[in-house]
């Protein structure tokens, strides 16, 4: 079938050895070829980095106000072209048009967030002088790295790399995006819209298309890398960056868990958990993959989740809530995780995983119960429309299992009275209480993980701070009674200062004890 031939070039994506001169994209609804792009080699990537370097200085020199004018113009351009962009996401990725529109709205939200907040977060901050240095005036400024390389995945082809590009630009960097070879058109569209909106500095944001090899060329030339993708590729990127001491933001995979306590509102929990697990065909780094449900409410909740999930069908029709899995290499992984759970005694209350149907790109939802906690579906990223439900004694067991995971990206907790307490004990980057994935819809909240889920943050104030380094400045403004930074320091000055500090701390302790 031509579909598989065309896509076979993309299935090997993530393998650092993959090379190819051409990236061929498919319309995921029809399987027909959509477009062809020349894959950028080292020369093209090097040229893009040079263009970015030339633009980086003038972009920074514009200051917050000058950059804001241009970011506003870009926001208008994206909003006007939003329907085209959503259609392109639908075609390249296969998700519904409505989900494509949600990605457009998400980047518009991130643009608004940076426009409203960048100066507050990155503007000059005065620092009070210490008592011993009254003659110094000090402050912190934030300098951009220069050129940032953003490497993106295909599952949220606009929302995921788009938010990072926006933060890096707002922080004063020039940016080059290398989108996934499954969804390069979205990246190309973004760069074109930038050139229309910001004709005086087109080089401040560019897109280069290609496979992993193109991404590797990019990591070698830039001042900071922001990578989003699998744990396996993340390790390779981190190793490349380590060799050059290039800082890297790593947004990697997850195995997000949900805790359901005895006092949860089960109707609401079932609706949110089903959506959190199956939206976007479960192809989200923060998709809920494993539900730890306390024994007392387990059976009732399973019934409710099964009722919701039974109404979700994968297809490309107007009524289909989820689309295909556009990465063929992912399909055997999903099947393997489901088969492993079934072999270990789990049951599928929704889904007939062995039945691939006529087109196996459409993976139908599977809800697994009585999943042993050490099954792959419960411990590893399945990245598909599958939820593994694990019965637990109590919420303590759920917390212990989540905190023992090598991943630590998002999570959810359902409990009427103890939701916040449970949430605060989870060692993860993000938690929604009595909701699913809600943290991802607030542009002000930082997004990222720990352990195998990566490090660094996008979104929120932290997402802006990710793309700058602090420059601390202190200015000698006048004479000082006790010089501390020349050899004119009086003999015994430090001994007297140390004794005074000790007496002061002793007095403070004494006051606290009384
Ligand atoms: P992937 O790792 O296969 O590819 C991601 C991108 O990295 C692609 O553009 C690819 O060409 C490039 N790449 C691969 N190897 C590279 C290398 N050695 N050097 C430079 N670039 C390289 O991932 P994918 O299949 O596109 O995306 C799915 C994965 O991304 C899932 O694991 C998902 O959980 C994760 N993800 C994480 C987040 C997050 O914010 N944490 C968001 C979305 C997706």
């Amino acid at each position: 079938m031509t579909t598989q031939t065309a896509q076979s070039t993309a299935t090997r994506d993530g393998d650092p050895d993959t090379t190819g001169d051409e990236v061929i994209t498919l319309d995921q609804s029809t399987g027909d070829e959509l477009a062809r792009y020349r894959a950028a080699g080292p020369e093209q990537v090097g040229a893009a980095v040079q263009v970015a370097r030339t633009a980086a200085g003038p972009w920074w020199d514009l200051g917050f106000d000058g950059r804001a004018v241009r970011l506003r113009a870009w926001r208008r351009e994206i909003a006007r072209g939003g329907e085209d962009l959503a259609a392109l996401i639908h075609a390249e990725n296969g998700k519904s048009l409505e989900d494509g529109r949600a990605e457009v709205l998400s980047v518009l939200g991130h643009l608004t967030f940076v426009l409203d907040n960048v100066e507050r977060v990155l503007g000059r901050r005065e620092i009070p002088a210490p008592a011993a240095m009254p003659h110094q005036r000090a402050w912190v400024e934030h300098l951009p790295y220069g050129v940032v390389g953003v490497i993106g995945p295909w599952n949220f082809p606009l929302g995921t790399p788009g938010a990072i590009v926006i933060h890096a630009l707002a922080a004063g960097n020039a940016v080059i995006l290398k989108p996934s070879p499954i969804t390069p058109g979205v990246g190309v569209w973004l760069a074109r819209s930038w050139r229309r909106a910001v004709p005086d500095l087109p080089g401040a944001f560019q897109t280069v298309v290609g496979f992993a090899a193109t991404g590797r060329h990019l990591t070698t030339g830039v001042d900071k890398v922001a990578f989003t993708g699998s744990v396996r590729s993340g390790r390779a990127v981190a190793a490349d960056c380590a060799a050059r001491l290039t800082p890297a933001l790593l947004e990697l995979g997850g195995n997000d868990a949900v805790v359901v306590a005895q006092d949860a509102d089960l109707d609401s929990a079932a609706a949110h958990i089903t959506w959190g697990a199956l939206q976007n065909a479960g192809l989200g780094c923060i998709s809920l993959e494993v539900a730890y449900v306390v024994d007392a409410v387990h059976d009732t909740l399973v019934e409710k989740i099964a009722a919701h999930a039974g109404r979700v069908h994968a297809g490309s029709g107007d009524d289909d809530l989820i689309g295909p899995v556009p990465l063929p290499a992912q399909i055997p992984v999903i099947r393997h995780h489901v088969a492993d759970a079934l072999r270990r005694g789990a049951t599928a209350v929704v889904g007939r995983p062995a039945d691939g149907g006529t087109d196996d790109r459409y993976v139908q939802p599977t809800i697994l119960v009585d999943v042993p906690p050490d099954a792959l579906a419960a411990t590893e990223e399945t990245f598909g429309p599958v939820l593994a439900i694990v019965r637990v004694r109590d919420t303590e067991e759920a917390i212990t299992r989540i905190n023992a995971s090598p991943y630590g990206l998002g999570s959810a907790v359902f409990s009427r009275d103890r939701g916040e307490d449970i949430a605060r004990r989870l060692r993860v980057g993000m938690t929604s209480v009595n909701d699913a994935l809600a943290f991802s819809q607030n542009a002000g909240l930082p997004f990222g993980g720990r352990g195998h889920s990566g490090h660094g943050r996008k979104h929120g104030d932290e997402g802006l701070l990710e793309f700058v380094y602090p420059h601390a400045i202190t200015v000698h403004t006048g004479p000082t009674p006790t010089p501390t930074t020349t050899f004119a320091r009086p003999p015994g000055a430090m001994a007297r200062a140390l004794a005074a500090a000790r007496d002061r701390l002793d007095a403070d302790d004494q006051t606290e004890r009384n």
Side-chain angles (χ1 to χ4, degrees):
M1 194 161 91
T2 53
T3 306
Q4 293 303 327
T5 313
Q7 186 129 11
S8 67
T9 40
T11 52
R12 296 193 310 276
D13 176 47
D15 176 350
D17 297 332
T18 301
T19 51
D21 295 337
E22 207 171 31
V23 174
I24 303 169
T25 59
L26 302 180
D27 182 328
Q28 294 294 337
S29 322
T30 60
D32 295 338
E33 184 176 315
L34 188 66
R36 288 175 181 241
Y37 302 83
R38 260 191 68 202
E43 296 81 22
Q44 288 92 341
V45 174
V49 172
Q50 274 319 312
V51 168
R53 288 217 178 285
T54 310
W59 177 243
W60 173 241
D61 290 343
L62 285 172
F64 291 115
D65 291 345
R67 286 192 292 277
V69 169
R70 287 154 182 85
L71 289 170
R72 254 185 236 111
W74 194 33
R75 183 174 59 176
R76 275 196 301 277
E77 194 70 29
I78 294 172
R80 282 186 196 135
E83 282 297 326
D84 287 349
L85 192 47
L88 183 55
I89 295 169
H90 169 60
E92 280 192 331
N93 170 284
K95 66 177 68 181
S96 72
L97 253 183
E98 279 294 89
D99 283 351
R101 291 182 182 112
E103 288 205 48
V104 179
L105 284 166
S106 159
V107 294
L108 293 175
H110 286 291
L111 273 161
T112 299
F113 174 84
V114 299
L115 283 163
D116 290 348
N117 293 286
V118 64
E119 195 161 0
R120 171 183 62 79
V121 180
L122 301 186
R124 171 174 163 149
R125 185 162 45 96
E126 303 294 326
I127 305 294
M133 302 177 89
H135 62 298
Q136 297 274 338
R137 187 165 55 81
W139 68 91
V140 179
E141 294 180 6
H142 293 102
L143 296 179
Y145 283 99
V147 180
V148 172
V150 178
I151 298 173
W154 48 266
N155 60 328
F156 284 88
L158 175 65
T160 292
I164 297 176
V165 166
I166 288 163
H167 276 67
L169 280 168
N173 301 278
V175 179
I176 301 173
L177 168 64
K178 205 297 280 177
S180 162
I182 295 176
T183 54
V186 173
V188 170
W189 191 102
L190 269 186
R192 270 197 203 123
S193 68
W194 174 266
R195 290 198 293 274
R196 283 196 299 272
V198 189
D200 58 339
L201 272 176
F205 172 53
Q206 307 163 77
T207 290
V208 293
V209 172
F211 298 99
T214 305
R216 290 196 77 181
H217 298 316
L218 188 59
T219 60
T220 63
V222 296
D223 306 305
K224 169 133 191 171
V225 172
F227 172 83
T228 309
S230 65
V231 176
R232 191 177 72 118
S233 308
R235 281 189 219 278
V237 170
D240 281 346
C241 286
R244 293 174 180 77
L245 295 177
T246 305
L249 162 65
L250 298 177
E251 294 282 6
L252 310 180
N255 179 38
D256 287 10
V258 46
V259 183
V260 184
Q262 188 166 352
D263 68 341
D265 174 338
L266 296 184
D267 287 323
S268 170
H272 287 298
I273 292 170
T274 308
W275 182 79
L278 302 182
Q279 58 80 38
N280 202 35
L283 302 168
C285 54
I286 53 167
S287 291
L288 295 177
E289 299 222 342
V290 50
Y292 294 108
V293 184
V294 298
D295 192 37
V297 296
H298 177 276
D299 295 354
T300 315
L301 184 73
V302 165
E303 224 170 85
K304 290 175 190 292
I305 289 178
H308 283 287
R311 290 193 283 271
V312 181
H313 185 261
S316 292
D318 289 346
D319 295 335
D320 292 316
L321 294 175
I322 60 174
V325 174
L327 177 67
Q330 194 59 33
I331 295 166
V333 176
I334 300 168
R335 293 200 189 292
H336 177 54
H337 284 199
V338 171
D340 171 75
L342 295 175
R343 201 168 41 243
R344 291 167 187 246
T347 315
V349 289
V350 170
R352 289 189 303 151
D355 177 6
T358 48
D359 187 343
D360 73 352
R361 293 179 311 130
Y362 294 104
V363 180
Q364 299 303 334
T366 302
I367 306 294
L368 297 166
V369 295
D370 293 322
V371 178
D374 59 349
L376 291 172
T379 57
E380 283 300 323
E381 184 178 54
T382 301
F383 217 55
V386 177
L387 177 68
I389 300 181
V390 177
R391 192 191 292 265
V392 288
R393 269 188 324 276
D394 50 27
T395 53
E396 281 310 302
E397 184 185 343
I399 294 168
T400 305
R401 290 200 183 282
I402 291 171
N403 289 349
S405 169
Y407 298 97
L409 197 57
S411 59
V413 177
F414 289 87
S415 165
R416 282 194 174 92
D417 293 333
R418 296 191 300 122
E420 289 177 36
D421 291 344
I422 295 170
R424 293 182 64 202
R425 293 183 53 205
L426 298 179
R427 293 186 60 245
V428 295
M430 299 148 303
T431 305
S432 301
V433 177
N434 296 326
D435 212 318
L437 326 190
F439 51 78
S440 66
Q441 296 182 8
N442 182 341
L445 282 174
F447 186 114
R450 66 150 173 92
H452 291 188
S453 295
H455 52 72
R457 290 295 181 268
K458 60 183 179 183
H459 304 178
D461 293 3
E462 290 80 356
L464 287 164
L465 288 163
E466 188 70 41
F467 293 105
V468 292
Y469 61 93
H471 183 188
I473 300 175
T474 180
V475 178
H476 187 115
T477 55
T480 170
T482 325
T484 56
T485 55
T486 70
F487 288 115
R489 193 166 71 190
M494 289 301 113
R496 283 192 295 281
L498 181 55
R502 188 191 54 223
D503 293 347
R504 206 170 45 245
L505 292 172
D506 280 348
D508 287 353
D509 286 350
Q510 192 60 43
T511 317
E512 218 162 87
R513 274 198 292 273
N514 291 337

